[in-house]
Amino acid sequence: MALILKKAVNFKTDPLDVGEGKLSLVDVISQADSAPFSAGIAEIWDGAPVDFEYDDDAAVCFMLDGEIELTENGAVHRFEPGDIVFIPQQAGLVISWSTASYGKFAYVTYPHWR
């Protein structure tokens, strides 16, 4: 069987150590599935911003719920339900993710982010 279907009822995010920020995620599709990318669900809560470096991977994210602010070099972008963001793999690129309350998004990274 080539197709892999993972049911949403089984998705449970786990806290990721990001310093003072509050972020949980789950890789739903990963190397364990023989995929050339990682895909999953992430949740972020009010707290310190979470910084991600994009030196080694690119990402596409689809906002599901809530609102997140993405900050790059001082420019702030509102990421809202239905929005899609592409973040290229670029040496030195750091994006800060933050929210005043809660945000949930789906992501795909290429290659695998961890």
Side-chain angles (χ1 to χ4, degrees), residues 1-8 10-12 25-42 106-114:
M1 181 166 137
L3 182 140
I4 298 172
L5 174 65
K6 305 234 179 154
K7 301 300 272 181
N10 297 319
F11 303 161
K12 180 189 175 297
L25 57 78
V26 59
D27 286 338
V28 178
I29 302 293
S30 66
Q31 286 176 310
D33 299 301
S34 299
F37 54 84
S38 295
I41 303 293
Y107 62 85
V108 176
T109 65
Y110 179 84
H112 303 280
W113 71 276
R114 61 175 168 175

Side-chain angles (χ1 to χ4, degrees), residues 7-20:
K7 301 300 272 181
V9 69
N10 297 319
F11 303 161
K12 180 189 175 297
T13 61
D14 295 312
L16 182 68
D17 184 5
V18 291
E20 295 179 31

Side-chain angles (χ1 to χ4, degrees), residues 22-76:
K22 298 175 189 170
L23 180 89
S24 291
L25 57 78
V26 59
D27 286 338
V28 178
I29 302 293
S30 66
Q31 286 176 310
D33 299 301
S34 299
F37 54 84
S38 295
I41 303 293
E43 298 176 286
I44 186 170
W45 290 267
D46 182 25
V50 176
D51 293 341
F52 282 109
E53 297 176 359
Y54 292 89
D55 290 341
D56 299 318
D57 62 340
V60 172
C61 304
F62 177 76
M63 189 66 172
L64 299 169
D65 189 23
E67 181 180 305
I68 297 173
E69 289 188 349
L70 305 173
T71 305
E72 173 194 5
N73 295 327
V76 178

